[in-house]
């Protein structure tokens, strides 16, 4: 990473353009197995642009997982659309395809289908795309994959980030690979990715003067950060293996305790085990999650609750779920 960063610095390309941006996009698209990629300032920017490009507007509904980080739902709100939250299945903790199918059938009868669906690949594990993709195709709902946490994971032999019309990755400081910040929009559709690049550079028209015919955004990734990302990407499979070893260590040491259950790995793929997650049954375990968290904190061991579901967040009170 240091070598590539110094190369970018010495080249003079420090702006959101440059050879490392181009190479990072090409290398990431090749790794994930999609045709095209646009390097952006964050995964949230990728989600926002995905919805803008697919025509999500004020008054539309966009359905998404309720068990996710707020960025997923925030990006929906940026367009003026209304998020509708779908609960998880126990087998993967991801969006429940059975609930989705019931809701789509009901929405179809009522003529109020969503403009898009945004499943989240939670804690590094892909959602059940073998069931979700056909449902979206049947009802004509655009699929945007929020793979922010899942680089290196797979579903039915395909890498996270290769599902749906558009997918989003994150390279935030806590992710499997990081640029210190940053994200990526992925698609097999070259026109979608070209549109994302255009919108992400303030939608400047092709003219010798500064002309703008549409609203744009300052969402492109700098050449310096892309250089760091390239160095990180070259070790991504090693990082997945390390996370999985960490998970295995915790599981081996703690799974025999009464009332402790780890996030299961779905039968359809391999998780990158971005974070090691477990549940505690207080009656069987002898204390609740918060008491355990505080005890660990006193020992200088970081632990925290999993995401607070979006339908329980104060900012989203009153939204359908």
């Amino acid at each position: 990473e240091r070598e590539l960063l110094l190369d970018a610095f010495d080249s003079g390309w420090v702006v959101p353009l440059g050879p490392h941006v181009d190479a990072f996009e090409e290398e990431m698209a090749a790794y994930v197995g999609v045709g095209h990629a646009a390097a952006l300032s964050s995964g949230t920017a990728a989600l926002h642009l995905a919805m803008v490009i697919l025509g999500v507007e004020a008054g539309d509904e966009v359905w998404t997982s309720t068990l996710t980080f707020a960025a997923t739902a925030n990006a929906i709100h940026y367009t003026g659309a209304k998020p509708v939250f779908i609960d998880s299945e126990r087998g993967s903790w991801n969006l429940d395809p059975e609930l989705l199918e019931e809701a789509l059938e009901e929405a179809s009868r009522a003529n109020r289908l969503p403009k898009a669906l945004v499943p989240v690949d939670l804690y590094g594990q892909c959602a059940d795309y073998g069931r979700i993709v056909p449902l979206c195709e049947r009802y004509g709902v655009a699929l945007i994959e929020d793979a922010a946490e899942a680089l290196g994971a797979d579903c039915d032999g395909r890498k996270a980030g290769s599902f749906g019309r558009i997918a989003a990755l994150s390279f935030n400081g806590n992710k499997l690979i990081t640029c210190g910040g940053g994200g990526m929009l992925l698609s097999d559709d070259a026109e979608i990715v070209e549109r994302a690049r255009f919108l992400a550079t303030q939608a400047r028209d092709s003219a010798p003067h500064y002309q703008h015919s549409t609203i744009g955004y300052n969402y492109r990734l700098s050449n310096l950060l892309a250089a760091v990302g390239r160095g990180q990407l070259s070790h991504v499979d090693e990082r997945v293996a390390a996370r999985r070893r960490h998970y295995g260590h915790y599981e081996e040491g703690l799974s025999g305790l009464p009332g402790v259950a780890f996030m299961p790995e779905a039968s359809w793929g391999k998780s990158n085990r971005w974070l090691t997650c477990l549940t505690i049954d207080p009656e069987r375990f002898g204390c609740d999650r918060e008491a355990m968290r505080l005890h660990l904190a006193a020992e200088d061991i970081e632990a925290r609750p999993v995401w607070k579901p979006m339908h329980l967040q104060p900012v989203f009170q009153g939204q359908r779920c």
Side-chain angles (χ1 to χ4, degrees), residues 53-290:
I53 291 166
L54 294 179
V56 175
E57 297 175 332
D60 290 335
E61 284 190 350
V62 175
W63 296 2
T64 191
S65 311
T66 191
L67 188 55
T68 183
F69 181 56
T72 312
N74 287 345
I76 296 169
H77 258 281
Y78 296 164
T79 67
K82 299 176 182 178
V84 175
F85 302 116
I86 302 176
D87 213 343
S88 304
E89 59 175 1
R90 288 188 178 274
S92 71
W93 293 17
N94 277 306
L95 185 147
D96 187 332
E98 289 190 15
L99 286 178
L100 174 63
E101 184 169 17
E102 291 173 12
L104 285 171
E105 288 175 358
E106 182 181 327
S108 180
R109 288 194 298 269
N111 198 29
R112 58 179 298 181
L113 284 165
K115 194 67 173 279
L117 174 74
V118 189
V120 177
D121 298 336
L122 189 73
Y123 295 123
Q125 175 156 264
C126 287
D128 189 356
Y129 292 110
R131 298 173 66 188
I132 292 172
V133 170
L135 286 171
C136 288
E137 290 175 347
R138 185 193 310 171
Y139 289 98
V141 175
L143 176 61
I144 301 169
E145 180 190 2
D146 183 349
E149 304 167 7
L151 181 64
D154 64 59
C155 172
D156 296 328
R158 288 174 56 181
K159 293 286 190 188
S162 66
F163 297 92
R165 291 196 64 195
I166 304 176
L169 295 173
S170 171
F171 313 126
N172 192 26
N174 63 358
K175 294 301 189 294
L176 195 84
I177 72 167
T178 182
C179 307
M184 193 82 77
L185 181 146
L186 304 164
S187 179
D188 279 320
D189 189 327
E191 290 185 8
I192 283 177
V193 174
E194 197 53 43
R195 183 68 176 171
R197 293 194 185 108
F198 170 71
L199 292 172
T201 48
Q202 296 289 18
R204 182 182 173 184
D205 291 341
S206 180
H209 50 281
Y210 290 97
Q211 177 172 298
H212 304 266
S213 303
T214 190
I215 296 295
Y217 310 91
N218 185 16
Y219 278 172
R220 280 296 252 160
L221 188 68
S222 89
N223 197 54
L224 295 176
L225 297 187
V228 176
R230 291 185 66 200
Q232 297 255 308
L233 179 59
S234 67
H235 297 286
V236 66
D237 290 332
E238 298 165 37
R239 290 167 179 264
V240 171
R243 296 289 177 112
R244 289 180 64 84
R245 284 197 302 274
H246 297 163
Y247 169 84
H249 179 72
Y250 284 115
E251 185 183 41
E252 182 181 353
L254 301 176
S255 61
L257 296 174
V260 172
F262 282 81
M263 179 180 178
E265 186 164 49
S267 60
W268 55 79
K270 183 179 80 173
S271 171
N272 71 11
R273 296 297 186 189
W274 172 52
L275 296 180
T276 293
C277 302
L278 56 84
T279 57
I280 291 175
D281 180 341
E283 291 187 6
R284 294 181 60 213
F285 186 66
C287 76
D288 63 17
R289 179 206 69 197
E290 186 61 8

